[in-house]
Each structure stands twice: as C-alpha cells, then as structure tokens.
Amino acid sequence: QVQLEESGGGLVQAGGSLRLSCAASGSGSSVDSMGWYRQAPGNQRDLVASIRSGGGTVYADSVKGRFTISRDNAKNTVYLQMNSLTSEDTGVYLCYVNAYRWGVGPFTYWGQGTQVTVSS
C-alpha cells in the first residue's frame, strides 16, 4: 500500500505563486509516474502535470510556461511549482501515483486533495 501526503495549498492573489508537495510512503509497490490533477466545482478532474520516474514530463496546455513539476525519487516526493496564478487555476489539486503493486499489478493511488484558491 502507498499513502500520499499533500501539502502547500492555500489562498493566493492572482499573479502569485504556490508550491505543492506530495510525499508517497509505504511498501509493496514500485512507483512509476507521479503528478497532479485539478478538479474545479462542477468540472471534471483534469490532468495538470505528470512526471515519470526517468524525468519525462507532461503538462496541460493551460499551465505550460507557468507550472513546473519535479520529483525527488529518493524521497518519493513530487512537487508542483505554480507561478503567475490566475482564477482559472482555482480548484482541488489531487496528487496521484501510478505504481505496480507487487503480486497485484498496475495501480493508481490518490491523495486526499489540497485546495488552491486564487483571488482576482
């Protein structure tokens, strides 16, 4: 099992910055990609950014050039640096981990989510 602990959300003014962190802990799984989804009220859950264990990254078009995802493999922690925030970035940010559960197979773990609110 893998547990995810998120931190770093909050309230920020438009144009400001926030840094999200998500630490994975536990045993019995090998971690591959990690990343963040965003869910705004009434909207579906959309991918914001992801990063593979080898460092390859994917970003939503709406955050390219403003957000940077990184990870520390030794700590099984993924970070999301968010700059030039706008009200469109408001939502619950959910950390996820794609892993291989030994003896089970591919599995996706989810964090509880952290609220990001950008005031205009």
Side-chain angles (χ1 to χ4, degrees):
Q1 289 280 11
V2 173
Q3 293 79 43
L4 303 180
E5 183 174 352
E6 300 153 324
S7 62
L11 174 65
V12 65
Q13 288 189 331
S17 299
L18 283 174
R19 188 189 192 215
L20 306 182
S21 299
C22 175
S25 61
S27 61
S29 298
S30 300
V31 173
D32 183 16
S33 61
M34 307 177 74
W36 299 87
Y37 275 73
R38 177 173 64 210
Q39 187 159 24
N43 290 352
Q44 65 183 18
R45 187 178 293 185
D46 294 320
L47 178 68
V48 176
S50 67
I51 184 167
R52 300 290 300 272
S53 57
T57 58
V58 173
Y59 292 94
D61 287 343
S62 62
V63 307
K64 286 179 181 177
R66 300 187 298 121
F67 291 11
T68 303
I69 190 168
S70 60
R71 66 188 283 173
D72 184 333
N73 287 333
K75 297 180 180 179
N76 273 337
T77 300
V78 62
Y79 307 95
L80 185 67
Q81 178 66 43
M82 305 186 293
N83 299 329
S84 302
L85 286 161
T86 75
S87 58
E88 298 295 312
D89 297 316
T90 294
V92 175
Y93 284 69
L94 299 112
C95 174
Y96 78 92
V97 168
N98 285 332
Y100 186 90
R101 285 180 67 177
W102 304 337
V104 176
F107 196 85
T108 299
Y109 298 92
W110 291 94
Q112 293 295 313
T114 184
Q115 178 69 43
V116 171
T117 302
V118 183
S119 63
S120 56

